[in-house]
Amino acid sequence: MAAAAAALLVALTVAQTAAGARFTTALGLTPPPQSFTEIFVDSTAPLPGMLPLGASATVPVSFTLGNGSPDAASYRWSITQQAGSAPPAVLATGTTDVAAGVRRARTVPVTVTCSAPEIVVAIAVAGVDQPVTRHVTCQVPRR
């Protein structure tokens, strides 16, 4: 009885490891982990908070893509600018390959134009419902 209890304890302990989780999933004893994609803005390289109204500036847009799935993934992304009620303008597009369970940082230089009192720069990833947005205030130049 003690040997059976010890064997059960060892089996439960091993099942808590990554290898054990893969084994119990392969046996159909546990469901596969849920896959997810994450995107977030790198706050160490923020967009400028203010630009002069009517001015254009090339700024680095930094963001990170995370692949929370058991397989490598290729993510299509775009960076757009929205000014007032005008349709969004595409500033950059691309594809980033991310290995399983890994995060990959990107920095993309884009040219924003302050054509309204406030512009919104959005980073969107295909398949992700909500883009990540950053706001830039455009000030009227002082005379």
Side-chain angles (χ1 to χ4, degrees):
M1 187 71 131
L8 180 61
L9 182 60
V10 168
L12 290 173
T13 301
V14 170
Q16 299 301 312
T17 66
R22 285 190 299 272
F23 181 69
T24 58
T25 299
L27 290 176
L29 299 174
T30 58
Q34 286 229 323
S35 296
F36 63 91
T37 299
E38 63 182 343
I39 179 171
F40 56 92
V41 175
D42 180 357
S43 63
T44 62
L47 289 174
M50 289 186 202
L51 287 173
L53 188 61
S56 294
T58 300
V59 297
V61 175
S62 296
F63 60 97
T64 299
L65 295 167
N67 178 6
S69 75
D71 301 310
S74 184
Y75 296 106
R76 287 179 314 175
W77 51 264
S78 63
I79 301 172
T80 59
Q81 172 184 316
Q82 176 89 37
S85 60
V90 177
L91 303 177
T93 61
T95 303
T96 299
D97 296 326
V98 183
V102 172
R103 290 178 173 161
R104 183 159 178 215
R106 296 291 319 250
T107 298
V108 179
V110 298
T111 300
V112 297
T113 302
C114 268
S115 54
E118 181 177 82
I119 60 173
V120 178
V121 176
I123 306 159
V125 176
V128 176
D129 292 338
Q130 294 293 320
V132 175
T133 59
R134 302 296 301 269
H135 295 260
V136 177
T137 301
C138 301
Q139 291 187 324
V140 177
R142 294 183 185 178
R143 295 176 190 228

